[in-house]
Amino acid sequence: MPKIPLFDLPVLPQNRLPLHLQLQKTRVFCNNDAPTNTEDITYSGAYAALGVDNSLKLDEFRNNFKVKVIKLNEEDMEFDLIGIDASIANAFRRILISELPTMAIEKVLVANSSSVVQDEVLAHRLGLIPIKVDPRLFDYMSENDVPNEKNSIVFSLNIKCDRKTGERLTVYSHDLKWLPFGSEYVLPTENSSDPSSKPKTYTSFTSSQDSFPEFSDNPITVTPGIIISKLGPGQEIELEAHAVKGVGKTHAKWSPVATAWYRMLPEVVLLQVIENEDAQKLVNKCPVNVFDIEDMGKGVKRATVARPRACTVCRECIREPGWNEKVALRRVKDHFIFTIESTGALPPEVLFTEAVKILEDKCESVITELS
Amino acid sequence: MEHGSYKDQSASTFSLAEDHTLANALRFTLNQDPRVSVCGYSIPHPSEARVNIRVQTTGDSAKEVLKDSCQDLMMICQHVRSTFDQAVTDFKNNNGSESE
């Protein structure tokens, strides 16, 4: 930072900080050895001595907050949140990973398994398969609840490897069949008093899930193509899997995102004019081509920062001695580049909206608890 | 659960069944409130989902200040949600018209 005498500092309008303090408030300095200035200056009276009010003004927040969507398709999305604090961005990320509900296989009833894969390993693998259904259509099932059409989904897997061919058979996730009428396995009860009534199964579906408007044209499927197991000749698997609603906090199989992460926008600033040989060196050093050479005419070539967003802050450009004064690597503290990769249950933009709703609900529950 | 003194309402510790997700966001909005002199949170034990939020104000009741901060956080969330929905709709419209 160049040192300017106190009387030469630029005069700013009221309620604006001097430039060096603004830099300290809004940028993380990524130095050669470690990042500095990483703390958030959120205290409302932090700049009280200067007469600047640092408190939260909702109108200012509303005016300054921006969202820019960079990429959006059914599986993942990348968007920018500008003007929000790290604690709230992190809260969204944590909720996306662990507190958004999904459906996943929880109970596996194995009728027959002669495969080499142990039952519990098979059940664990089945649990991790993503189920493409909107979890908001289902209710949670507690210990005392009976499994019915509102809180569980039943899949069956009946597969046998033919002995004649002599080849191994791969069991894929699309071999799981959805049973909209519920479980087909009968409960082992001694009930000979009523032979004409339907035998009780492991689930009590009063109506078929097929009849629900959401599922009538849209059968519930799992992500296809995932290898569950392999069978040798003559081996077979016969099982039923029941899926229930849960959150990622309990077990990672219920997490609706493959992952969700954010990074702060990197800022690359050339502190000095870099020309000719130095400029070429700089362009060659950067592995992601952040810098470009600009021809200034008269044989003078200058380096410019072309793609700061692509910078991975690998610090190659400031590694050698002396380059620290030429290039400054910083991160903008309130600009977050979010990436959400969904597993297929819900599209990523819906996931983010639900995550924000969950944070609102948490605040509401705190307010009601205090009142 | 509020642990404070009946005589002095301006300083108390709130023990909530939450974790870093809500506590850090609340700490941010609390810090931004001009009535707050000290605020922070700690997790007594990582195996237990409990967080202690300490609020000390310049005279107002700590409970009211915490409630107002929760309200502020809710307003922030609502604004984030509406701006996000708007941005997604704009993106879909722009890209839909481009592909046509």
Side-chain angles (χ1 to χ4, degrees):
Chain A
M1 290 272 0
K3 289 192 169 42
I4 313 175
L6 189 62
F7 299 106
D8 292 339
L9 282 173
V11 178
L12 291 160
Q14 191 69 313
N15 219 36
R16 292 295 299 272
L17 289 169
L19 289 168
H20 66 287
L21 286 181
Q22 254 180 27
L23 195 68
Q24 190 191 40
K25 180 170 191 266
T26 60
R27 301 289 192 268
V28 174
F29 303 134
C30 299
N31 299 328
N32 213 350
D33 37 5
T36 53
N37 198 36
T38 53
E39 311 83 24
D40 278 327
I41 303 176
T42 55
Y43 179 49
S44 60
Y47 302 110
L50 290 167
V52 173
D53 185 12
N54 197 21
S55 63
L56 177 78
K57 285 165 259 208
L58 277 173
D59 305 319
E60 242 188 63
F61 170 75
R62 285 200 191 102
N63 290 339
N64 295 341
F65 180 65
K66 290 186 190 50
V67 176
K68 276 196 211 136
V69 180
I70 312 290
K71 181 168 94 151
L72 174 62
N73 55 40
E74 284 125 34
E75 279 182 350
D76 53 15
M77 82 181 290
E78 188 184 326
F79 62 97
D80 285 11
L81 286 174
I82 307 168
I84 202 171
D85 184 65
S87 48
I88 304 183
N90 195 31
F92 293 148
R93 183 194 64 92
R94 285 173 67 101
I95 295 177
L96 277 165
I97 293 178
S98 70
E99 292 184 49
L100 280 178
T102 2
M103 304 293 290
I105 291 174
E106 166 86 345
K107 281 213 180 85
V108 174
L109 307 169
V110 183
N112 182 6
S113 165
S114 46
S115 83
V116 289
V117 176
Q118 296 94 334
D119 290 349
E120 61 268 20
V121 174
L122 193 57
H124 179 244
R125 290 177 72 80
L126 285 169
L128 292 171
I129 298 172
I131 300 181
K132 286 188 176 160
V133 66
D134 189 345
R136 297 173 289 189
L137 303 166
F138 290 87
D139 305 325
Y140 286 100
M141 186 170 87
S142 68
E143 297 277 313
N144 310 324
D145 276 345
V146 179
N148 57 34
E149 67 273 15
K150 273 262 99 188
N151 59 29
S152 44
I153 305 176
V154 182
F155 293 95
S156 91
L157 183 63
N158 270 324
I159 197 153
K160 189 174 160 74
C161 178
D162 204 1
R163 195 182 271 276
K164 286 183 239 159
T165 53
E167 275 173 10
R168 291 209 181 85
L169 178 71
T170 315
V171 180
Y172 288 101
S173 57
H174 49 251
D175 296 326
L176 281 167
K177 302 266 172 308
W178 176 43
L179 300 176
F181 291 96
S183 174
E184 285 169 353
Y185 293 171
V186 177
L187 274 170
T189 49
E190 319 278 317
N191 210 357
S192 50
S193 57
D194 212 351
S196 59
S197 72
K198 241 173 38 170
K200 271 182 139 184
T201 63
Y202 279 93
T203 60
S204 332
F205 279 38
T206 51
S207 65
S208 159
Q209 280 175 330
D210 239 344
S211 59
F212 293 167
E214 302 90 20
F215 302 133
S216 43
D217 305 317
N218 207 8
I220 300 180
T221 52
V222 299
T223 314
I226 301 178
I227 298 180
I228 303 178
S229 162
K230 292 195 177 181
L231 294 173
Q235 292 174 351
E236 84 173 286
I237 298 182
E238 205 183 307
L239 55 79
E240 228 179 52
H242 298 192
V244 291
K245 187 168 168 175
V247 289
K249 249 193 199 168
T250 329
H251 193 285
K253 69 186 176 191
W254 277 299
S255 181
V257 291
T259 188
W261 76 90
Y262 65 77
R263 62 185 179 114
M264 292 192 281
L265 182 77
E267 193 185 50
V268 185
V269 175
L270 294 173
L271 297 172
Q272 298 167 2
V273 171
I274 302 183
E275 289 183 329
N276 300 335
E277 253 185 46
D278 275 353
Q280 194 57 49
K281 247 205 264 176
L282 191 61
V283 171
N284 293 343
K285 262 197 239 184
C286 183
V288 281
N289 297 327
V290 169
F291 301 100
D292 257 352
I293 300 261
E294 205 181 284
D295 216 341
M296 303 298 291
K298 292 194 205 163
V300 171
K301 293 200 166 88
R302 205 176 280 185
T304 56
V305 181
R307 287 161 291 271
R309 201 187 156 98
C311 179
T312 55
V313 200
C314 67
R315 294 175 171 86
E316 264 308 308
C317 43
I318 53 174
R319 202 172 291 275
E320 282 172 31
W323 279 92
N324 226 338
E325 284 105 45
K326 299 192 185 147
V327 183
L329 284 177
R330 303 188 198 127
R331 282 199 191 266
V332 184
K333 275 190 201 171
D334 59 358
H335 185 138
F336 296 96
I337 303 172
F338 251 96
T339 315
I340 302 179
E341 290 178 8
S342 160
T343 49
L346 287 169
E349 66 269 12
V350 176
L351 283 175
F352 187 73
T353 321
E354 291 292 312
V356 182
K357 271 196 218 158
I358 288 188
L359 188 58
E360 278 178 44
D361 291 339
K362 279 184 191 252
C363 294
E364 243 191 79
S365 72
V366 170
I367 295 180
T368 43
E369 203 189 310
L370 289 175
S371 307
Chain B
M1 220 190 303
E2 183 182 353
H3 302 278
S5 127
Y6 288 118
K7 281 190 259 177
D8 183 10
Q9 295 281 322
S10 72
S12 50
T13 307
F14 299 91
S15 182
L16 302 170
E18 288 287 341
D19 59 355
H20 296 281
T21 311
L22 185 66
N24 203 12
L26 261 187
R27 184 193 58 91
F28 166 70
T29 49
L30 271 171
N31 245 323
Q32 300 263 282
D33 194 329
R35 298 171 286 175
V36 159
S37 69
V38 173
C39 91
Y41 78 94
S42 76
I43 307 223
H45 195 280
S47 305
E48 189 192 343
R50 192 142 280 278
V51 69
N52 289 343
I53 304 184
R54 175 79 182 162
V55 184
Q56 278 175 219
T57 70
T58 53
D60 289 19
S61 152
K63 196 199 271 201
E64 293 305 312
V65 171
L66 187 66
K67 274 203 265 187
D68 287 344
S69 303
C70 286
Q71 277 294 110
D72 281 345
L73 190 56
M74 279 180 72
M75 306 253 92
I76 293 177
C77 286
Q78 277 158 9
H79 184 67
V80 167
R81 195 150 41 109
S82 56
T83 319
F84 179 77
D85 286 336
Q86 186 62 40
V88 169
T89 331
D90 286 344
F91 183 83
K92 283 190 180 156
N93 288 342
N94 284 346
N95 275 36
S97 61
E98 267 166 31
S99 58
E100 280 166 42

